[in-house]
């Protein structure tokens, strides 16, 4: 950052040799810059330290790498941060969570309604459960949790260029974005006309049910979903998808859910920049 220092020349200063005045000015400006740089470096160091501390695991808690390597159906213990809540029903909660290394989908985790209200975005929790897989979606089931000190909200990761690659699944359940994708026909209505979205995957639903819509990139088409438990028909994203037209160019954000292949749960839809 550049800082301009203005000097007011007084009569006495006019009597000081020009070279001496310039030297003193340069020295003062140098000290100011050094102070500013030092302060910036300190702030950056503090931020990096805080980011590092966010994922220091407690004793007996797995790193994300260890979680990925764990066998299916084995017990896992992780520390993670709530990113969004999908649903609560009969003392069970379904939650999207993430740390700086990866994400965890917590399915039907034991949770009172009172505790569910405490699970705001960024809340740190320690989760004990079992690693499972359903139609390609890796998740933690039969879990319990406890709230811990700490907070972390994951930044969005642009995975547009990873669509259609083997690397995409490495970001499963993370908060991600897709840029510049084209809306394709999702199916047909009762009159045989192409439509941009369907209520439920086969069009059997009604307003308030999940929305399914197709988008394409580089000649490949993908099915994305607005999960109604996560984003119901009162939300901006639900109504944005209902307003889509075939051929629209859109940007999206959401959680990289998996069902027989990539099937993101979308939380934001905007016109492509």
């Amino acid at each position: 950052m550049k800082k301009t220092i203005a000097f007011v020349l007084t009569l006495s200063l006019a009597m000081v040799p020009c070279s001496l005045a310039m030297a003193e000015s340069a020295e003062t400006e140098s000290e100011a810059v050094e102070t500013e740089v030092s302060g910036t470096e300190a702030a950056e160091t503090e931020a990096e330290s805080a980011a590092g501390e966010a994922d220091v695991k407690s004793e007996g808690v797995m790193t994300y790498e260890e979680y990925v390597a764990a066998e299916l159906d084995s017990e896992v213990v992780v520390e993670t941060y709530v990113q969004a809540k999908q649903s609560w029903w009969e003392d069970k909660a379904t939650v999207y969570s993430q740390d700086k290394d990866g994400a965890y989908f917590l399915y039907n985790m034991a949770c009172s309604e009172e505790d569910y209200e405490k699970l705001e975005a960024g809340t740190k929790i320690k989760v004990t459960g079992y690693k499972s897989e359903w139609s390609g979606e890796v998740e933690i089931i039969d879990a319990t949790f406890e709230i811990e000190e700490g907070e972390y909200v994951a930044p969005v990761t642009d995975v547009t260029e990873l669509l259609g690659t083997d690397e995409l699944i490495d970001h499963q359940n993370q908060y991600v974005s897709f840029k510049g994708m084209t809306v394709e026909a999702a199916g047909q209505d009762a009159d045989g006309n192409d439509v941009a979205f369907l209520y439920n995957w086969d069009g059997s639903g009604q307003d308030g049910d999940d929305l399914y819509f197709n988008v394409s990139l580089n000649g490949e088409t993908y099915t994305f979903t607005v999960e109604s438990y996560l984003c119901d028909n009162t939300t901006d994203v639900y109504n944005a998808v209902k307003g889509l037209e075939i051929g629209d160019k859109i940007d999206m954000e959401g959680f990289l859910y998996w069902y027989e292949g990539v099937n993101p749960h979308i939380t934001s839809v905007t016109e492509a920049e």
Side-chain angles (χ1 to χ4, degrees):
M1 178 183 297
K2 296 182 178 179
K3 181 182 294 185
T4 303
I5 302 177
F7 292 93
V8 179
L9 299 180
T10 63
L11 179 62
S12 58
L13 180 58
M15 298 177 67
V16 178
C18 180
S19 58
L20 178 58
M22 291 175 63
E24 291 177 346
S25 173
E27 183 178 355
T28 301
E29 184 170 356
S30 175
E31 290 175 352
V33 170
E34 288 178 1
T35 300
E36 183 174 337
V37 170
S38 177
T40 300
E41 290 176 344
E44 290 176 349
T45 301
E46 184 177 351
E48 291 171 358
S49 176
E53 290 175 359
D55 281 331
V56 173
K57 305 300 183 182
S58 302
E59 183 177 356
V61 174
M62 294 175 161
T63 63
Y64 182 73
E65 183 178 5
E66 290 170 334
Y67 167 76
V68 170
E71 296 290 334
L72 290 176
D73 301 320
S74 65
E75 185 177 67
V76 292
V77 181
V78 301
E79 284 175 331
T80 182
Y81 301 81
V82 174
Q83 303 302 307
K85 299 184 292 187
Q86 177 174 293
S87 62
W88 177 89
W89 180 253
E90 295 183 342
D91 286 339
K92 292 180 180 179
T94 296
V95 174
Y96 302 83
S97 72
Q98 189 169 338
D99 62 24
K100 73 179 183 66
D101 296 317
Y104 314 81
F105 186 65
L106 313 175
Y107 181 72
N108 277 353
M109 178 175 63
C111 179
S112 69
E113 187 172 14
E114 180 182 4
D115 283 344
Y116 187 70
E117 294 302 318
K118 299 175 184 177
L119 298 181
E120 301 293 340
T123 303
K124 184 178 183 180
I125 55 176
K126 178 179 178 181
V127 179
T128 302
Y130 293 86
K131 183 179 177 181
S132 183
E133 181 180 348
W134 183 69
S135 296
E137 168 65 21
V138 178
E139 56 196 15
I140 298 177
I141 64 171
D142 298 331
T144 58
F145 77 96
E146 55 188 273
I147 296 175
E148 298 185 325
E149 290 294 324
E151 184 175 354
Y152 174 73
V153 175
V156 65
T157 299
D158 187 346
V159 295
T160 310
E161 297 305 316
L162 296 181
L163 281 167
T165 71
D166 292 338
E167 289 77 22
L168 182 62
I169 199 168
D170 295 337
H171 297 274
Q172 186 176 121
N173 296 319
Q174 290 183 19
Y175 181 49
V176 298
S177 65
F178 305 90
K179 305 290 187 181
M181 302 194 70
T182 303
V183 177
E184 305 290 348
Q188 295 184 327
D189 62 18
D191 297 322
N193 300 312
D194 287 342
V195 292
F197 72 92
L198 296 173
Y199 292 113
N200 291 337
W201 67 272
D202 58 356
S204 63
Q206 58 187 350
D207 188 53
D209 291 328
D210 296 346
L211 300 181
Y212 283 75
F213 62 107
N214 290 341
V215 289
S216 66
L217 181 73
N218 298 328
E220 296 293 331
T221 299
Y222 307 90
T223 298
F224 286 13
T225 302
V226 176
E227 164 60 59
S228 59
Y229 286 142
L230 175 64
C231 298
D232 65 22
N233 62 353
T234 67
T235 59
D236 290 342
V237 65
Y238 196 98
N239 288 288
V241 171
K242 287 172 59 177
L244 291 177
E245 294 184 4
I246 297 169
D248 285 349
K249 294 279 190 179
I250 57 175
D251 295 337
M252 293 160 288
E253 295 179 356
F255 296 98
L256 195 62
Y257 191 78
W258 219 260
Y259 178 75
E260 303 295 344
V262 61
N263 181 219
H265 287 176
I266 297 301
T267 61
S268 172
V269 172
T270 57
E271 183 179 353
E273 297 180 358

